[in-house]
Every structure is written in structure tokens, then in C-alpha cells.
Amino acid sequence: MLDSGKLVLLISPKGKRYLRVVKEGNDIHTHDGKLLMEDIAAAGYGKMVKTHLGRKYKILKPTVHDLIKGVKRQTQIMYPKEIGYLLLKLGIGPGARVIESGSGSGGLTVALAYYVGDTGKVYTHERRPEFYKLVTRNLKWAGLEERVEQFNLDIEEGFQATEADALFLDVRTPWDYLHHIPKAVIPGAMCGFLLPTTNQVSDLLRALEKGPFEDLEVVEILVRRYKPVADRLRPEDRMVAHTGYLVFARCIEPYVEEEAASAEIETAETSESSEKTETAQEPETGSGDEQADSAEEDTESPNGM
């Protein structure tokens, strides 16, 4: 028995997929007939359910991959092939606090929210109101809205979170916002960026090299699928090739400059202290000529008497 609000993945005899929320009256109309939601909920995951025409559909629990591919979209979303690598590079896991900007349709936002768990938080920023509302709907559909805090604003003035464990930007000119990152993340936090063209990547790298960033990496991820037929195994005729370049870097606290300045101050203080010590230890006597004159005066004085 499935509770109301759960997501189910229904697969037709021909492999067509339907991702739906278990809700009373949310019946599904297909070419194979009508599927009653009460029958789906009663059957549960891993079972079969029949349409009113007798066609059997599989009931499965959707994976994160299914959720990402199933979000309603008005923009191009990040593909699972990039998201998987990104999650590992940024260290996303239960309890993580992550800043995102450029929510788009919310494909990555859904994945981040899933993996940070109930103890983590995703702070996502989106400038355009229509995309902001779309992400809200997709998060509620996925049942992950409690793990995300949304901001409908431009990040020109900075991010609406601090002490984050990781940060990801999917914006056209990320180099314009690099100066806000040190204030938003913990020292050593991983940062990621998605860009579609090589000239944008070059511009970003130049900006990163001038800031407090280390461990730079640029990757393009390609997935080549094969026809799963044992007797004639070969690559699929088509593939999703270039979808974007991922750039990663660690935001390092600018401790080098601070330590150098501190060392200079300590050196100056030590030098000044040494000079004072030498002055205090120097005997309070005059020059050789002064001493000679003084001796002559002492010698002549008795003769004068």
C-alpha cells in the first residue's frame, strides 16, 4: 500500500514511462486504457496493475535519475551524466549546505535536495520569476521542498547564505560573481561552474587564477550507450554528446597575504625591541677626548689649591 504523496513510475508493455504522484482521483489515461490510482496505491512498488482494457503496467519506485528526467522544464536541464560527477566533486551528502545559482527548471536542485537529506539545506537563487515558480512546483512534486530555500533575485549583490560547504553556478558570466564566493562558503569549499563554450571557460579560468582559488579542473563528460543485445552488442546509433563544460575549484582563504603582513609586523617589533635593549645596555660615558679633558682637570685641581 502506497501513501498519498508518494511518487510512482509506471511502465507500459511497450516501455513508455509515466511518473505520477499517488493522490486520490489522479487516474492515468493511456492508449492502453485507464489506470485507477487506487489500484496502483493498493498494489505497491514492484507489482503489476491492469488498465480497464486488461493491459498490464509495472509499478516501480522512481530513482533520482527518474526524478531529474521527469521535472517539468522550460529550460535546458543538466543531464545526469554531469550531475553524478558534480555531486562527488562538491562532496554533497547528508547534512551538506549548498549554494546554487541559476536554478533554471530545477533538475540539479532536485538532485542536490535529495542528497543533502533532512539535515542539509540547498540555497538556490534564480533571477527570473517564471523559473523561480517552476522550480517551486517541481520541488513540491518531488516532495523535496522542505530541504530547499529559494531566492528570487540576482546574485549581483551577493548570495543569501554563508558558511556553505559547496557552491555551484550555472550563469552566463560567473567571473562577475567570484568576489562574492569567499564570503559565502567555508575556507576550502569546492565550487563548480557549468559553461557551454570554450571561450567562456577561458574567461573563467583567467578570473579564477587571479582570485583565492586552487585545484582548478575542467572536464567534459560524454556517455556512450550500447545496445543491450548479447549476440550483436554495439554502440547506439545516436548519443547525447556535448552538453557543457564543468569547471571546479577550491576557494582558499587568502591566508598567505595575512601571514606575510603579520610576519612583517613581528619583524618590525622585534627589531625595535632589540634597538631599545642595545641602547639600555650601552655605558653612559663620553668620548675619548672628553675623558682626557676630565682627567686633566682632576690632575690640575690640587696644584691650583
Side-chain angles (χ1 to χ4, degrees):
M1 183 72 181
L2 298 176
D3 296 330
S4 179
K6 292 287 186 180
L7 283 168
V8 293
L9 177 65
L10 299 155
I11 302 180
S12 74
K14 294 184 178 180
K16 187 171 182 180
R17 296 170 170 241
Y18 299 84
L19 197 52
R20 295 291 187 273
V21 177
V22 175
K23 185 170 61 174
E24 185 179 355
N26 193 22
D27 300 332
I28 303 170
H29 297 269
T30 75
H31 292 297
D32 297 313
K34 182 179 179 180
L35 286 166
L36 298 177
M37 188 55 71
E38 60 183 88
D39 293 342
I40 296 170
Y45 295 132
K47 305 297 183 180
M48 304 287 286
V49 66
K50 291 182 179 180
T51 68
H52 79 286
L53 297 177
R55 306 290 174 80
K56 293 182 179 180
Y57 275 61
K58 297 175 186 175
I59 307 172
L60 301 176
K61 183 177 181 179
T63 65
V64 184
H65 185 282
D66 296 319
L67 295 181
I68 295 169
K69 299 287 283 184
V71 297
K72 299 294 182 185
R73 46 178 111 166
Q74 295 178 8
T75 65
Q76 175 65 48
I77 64 169
M78 280 189 70
Y79 280 80
K81 66 186 178 76
E82 280 99 12
I83 291 178
Y85 187 73
L86 180 150
L87 292 171
L88 293 176
K89 284 293 293 186
L90 297 187
I92 307 302
R97 301 175 70 249
V98 192
I99 293 174
E100 178 195 21
S101 183
S103 312
S105 296
L108 176 60
T109 312
V110 166
L112 292 172
Y114 183 92
Y115 283 103
V116 299
D118 291 329
T119 57
K121 202 74 172 182
V122 179
Y123 304 91
T124 188
H125 306 67
E126 175 53 56
R127 178 175 57 86
R128 297 179 60 174
E130 64 272 28
F131 297 156
Y132 171 85
K133 294 175 183 177
L134 178 61
V135 173
T136 301
R137 291 198 299 271
N138 280 329
L139 287 169
K140 288 182 178 178
W141 164 79
L144 298 168
E145 69 275 14
E146 296 300 323
R147 301 179 182 181
V148 180
E149 191 168 343
Q150 290 182 260
F151 302 98
N152 183 200
L153 49 78
D154 195 317
I155 58 172
E156 186 176 10
E157 299 300 323
F159 302 101
Q160 300 300 303
T162 58
E163 297 294 311
D165 301 298
L167 177 144
F168 185 78
L169 298 186
D170 183 2
V171 295
R172 190 172 62 85
T173 57
W175 48 87
D176 289 336
Y177 312 105
L178 295 183
H179 61 287
H180 291 309
I181 294 179
K183 299 176 184 177
V185 301
I186 62 173
M190 285 298 298
C191 303
F193 311 86
L194 177 69
L195 292 165
T197 66
T198 54
N199 60 306
Q200 287 173 296
V201 173
S202 294
D203 289 340
L204 176 59
L205 290 174
R206 292 188 189 97
L208 288 170
E209 290 169 354
K210 295 177 183 177
F213 298 96
E214 297 179 1
D215 298 336
L216 274 60
E217 180 185 44
V218 181
V219 297
E220 179 184 16
I221 298 174
L222 306 176
V223 174
R224 189 178 189 183
R225 301 187 186 281
Y226 279 67
K227 294 183 184 246
V229 181
D231 293 333
R232 47 191 180 90
L233 181 66
R234 65 182 181 85
E236 294 279 3
D237 299 322
R238 297 182 180 181
M239 68 177 288
V240 177
H242 173 74
T243 50
Y245 299 103
L246 288 173
V247 181
F248 295 98
R250 278 192 185 275
C251 182
I252 304 297
E253 192 175 35
Y255 59 88
V256 177
E257 292 80 359
E258 292 177 2
E259 286 186 355
S262 177
E264 288 178 4
I265 293 172
E266 289 181 3
T267 302
E269 290 177 349
T270 303
S271 177
E272 184 178 346
S273 177
S274 299
E275 290 177 0
K276 289 180 179 178
T277 302
E278 291 176 0
T279 302
Q281 292 178 349
E282 186 174 310
E284 296 182 359
T285 57
S287 65
D289 293 337
E290 289 176 346
Q291 291 182 31
D293 293 340
S294 176
E296 288 178 0
E297 290 176 359
D298 291 341
T299 304
E300 293 173 356
S301 194
N303 293 333
M305 291 178 67

